[in-house]
Amino acid sequence: MSSKRAKSWNAAASRSRHAWTSRSASRIGAVIARYQSEVDIGLQLVLRAVLAGHRGDRTTLTEAWSVLSEPGGEQHTARLHGLAATFCSLLEEDRPRARADLAAALEAERATPTTYHLTGRLGLSLLLRAVDGDLTRAEYDTAVADPAAGLRWDHHFALLASAVLAGAAGEHDVAVQVAESAEVGLLYPMARHLGLRLVSEAAARDGWGDPEAWLRAAEHHFHDAGVPAVAGACRAQLRLMGVRLTQRRSGVDEVPDELRLAGVTVREYEVLRLLGARLANNEIAAQLHLSRRTVEKHMSSLLTKTGLTNRLALGKLATEHTDQCRARERPSGGTP
């Protein structure tokens, strides 16, 4: 073969290899792109399911799950059960279903090991088991020794579980300290108040902490969030504890949180605001179309609920709240 012909043949072979390489790369790229697209779609559906679960939206959760349940979606099963369905069941106040969802999540995690740890095993499962009385301290210690147990979401529920265990063991001071340290959950308001609702049940049963205040906070949150099942369960638990509850009425949102959580009613707050305007009892009675005796009863109730000792201190509190209301109502950048 001549040198010229050899060079021509080598050039053609090189072009052929380049073309084959390009076609192979294109096919591999297409496969990778298709796989990445499937992964992205799967993660989007998981996110949709989790968000729905955390809103108590069972319909949307089920729709997303139906797609992820198709062959190839096994990798998402633990998250769907543990992070989405369990939470949704708790927002529906269906504790048996929540426990079943957690059991399914843990089984899926064992069958398909994953580096994604927020499936409930290191957090919510511990709290539910502690509240139901079927978690030992040794089991708890083994679980939280897992390096992944430090993730904030799980750590919040694990701390509450530890508080429940301490309370059941009679270590009431320790239980309160641990429960208060669970403020790591403040980033997750829904989870934080769901934790308060659950831990209050154990605190009331075992005689530690401040279950009334925790339940009031949880009831207020879930009422405003439009989750009636949990709000109703909080009110039912308060009644079981002997706490007298007033019917919700219009204007409740105007009552400052700290007073509402102390049990101050809309009418009592109206009395307090007029006291802040330095009106006497008979003037307050005339303004609200009440008898003077009824106003006196409201004053007495306000003293009890706020923990203040006399009308002078109550008047100071009323003035502070009146000033705060005026500051909120003042236009931004305006002058007095």
Side-chain angles (χ1 to χ4, degrees):
M1 180 183 295
S2 68
S3 174
K4 185 175 181 181
R5 183 176 296 176
K7 288 182 179 178
S8 177
W9 186 88
N10 288 336
S14 177
R15 287 195 296 272
S16 177
R17 286 195 299 270
H18 178 73
W20 179 86
T21 301
S22 295
R23 287 194 301 273
S24 297
S26 295
R27 285 196 297 270
I28 293 171
V31 170
I32 292 174
R34 187 164 61 250
Y35 173 76
Q36 187 62 52
S37 176
E38 291 173 356
V39 170
D40 289 344
I41 292 172
L43 290 177
Q44 289 172 17
L45 286 169
V46 169
L47 178 59
R48 183 183 179 192
V50 170
L51 288 175
H54 287 224
R55 294 170 181 158
D57 182 355
R58 177 71 65 177
T59 301
T60 302
L61 168 59
T62 302
E63 290 173 353
W65 198 325
S66 65
V67 178
L68 291 166
S69 297
E70 296 175 359
E74 297 83 3
Q75 59 181 316
H76 304 301
T77 301
R79 275 179 286 183
L80 289 171
H81 276 293
L83 192 58
T86 297
F87 210 88
C88 189
S89 296
L90 289 173
L91 293 183
E92 294 168 341
E93 279 296 317
D94 191 340
R95 189 83 59 85
R97 187 172 187 176
R99 292 292 300 266
D101 285 324
L102 274 172
L106 301 185
E107 180 59 34
E109 193 174 23
R110 283 190 290 268
T112 310
T114 175
T115 56
Y116 188 89
H117 298 288
L118 301 180
T119 57
R121 175 172 60 87
L122 303 176
L124 193 50
S125 177
L126 298 176
L127 177 55
L128 287 178
R129 290 182 60 196
V131 171
D132 290 346
D134 61 1
L135 177 71
T136 67
R137 176 60 72 174
E139 290 173 323
Y140 173 87
D141 291 340
T142 299
V144 297
D146 190 310
L151 294 172
R152 186 184 290 267
W153 174 267
D154 280 337
H155 187 47
H156 158 241
F157 291 119
L159 283 172
L160 292 177
S162 182
V164 172
L165 291 175
E171 302 168 359
H172 294 175
D173 291 340
V174 174
V176 172
Q177 291 172 7
V178 175
E180 290 176 349
S181 71
E183 289 185 357
V184 294
L186 289 175
L187 284 176
Y188 316 110
M190 187 74 80
R192 168 64 175 160
H193 288 91
L194 183 60
L196 288 179
R197 179 265 178 275
L198 293 169
V199 82
S200 296
E201 186 177 312
R205 178 185 65 216
D206 299 325
W208 60 273
D210 193 354
E212 179 180 342
W214 297 339
L215 283 168
R216 286 187 181 277
E219 191 276 338
H220 171 51
H221 174 84
F222 287 111
H223 173 82
D224 287 352
V227 186
V230 185
C234 291
R235 292 175 70 85
Q237 183 65 38
L238 284 166
R239 292 191 187 95
L240 285 174
M241 293 163 51
V243 177
R244 182 175 177 274
L245 298 175
T246 56
Q247 185 177 1
R248 282 186 172 273
R249 47 181 293 193
S250 60
V252 67
D253 292 335
E254 297 178 9
V255 182
D257 288 345
E258 66 271 25
L259 294 180
R260 181 166 47 221
L261 294 177
V264 173
T265 66
V266 175
R267 178 63 85 188
E268 288 167 350
Y269 184 60
E270 291 171 344
V271 170
L272 184 66
R273 291 195 66 173
L274 292 175
L275 180 63
R278 296 180 174 79
L279 271 63
N281 281 2
N282 60 330
E283 294 173 311
I284 293 173
Q287 286 262 2
L288 299 178
H289 305 286
L290 302 172
S291 69
R292 177 172 178 144
R293 180 164 179 75
T294 298
V295 172
E296 291 172 351
K297 287 182 178 179
H298 286 316
M299 290 291 185
S300 177
S301 179
L302 282 166
L303 289 170
T304 300
K305 292 177 179 179
T306 59
L308 299 176
T309 56
N310 53 54
R311 183 187 174 95
L312 183 63
L314 195 60
K316 182 179 179 181
L317 175 67
T319 301
E320 291 173 355
H321 280 290
T322 299
D323 292 342
Q324 290 172 8
C325 288
R326 287 173 178 167
R328 287 195 299 269
E329 293 166 358
R330 187 178 301 143
S332 173
T335 57

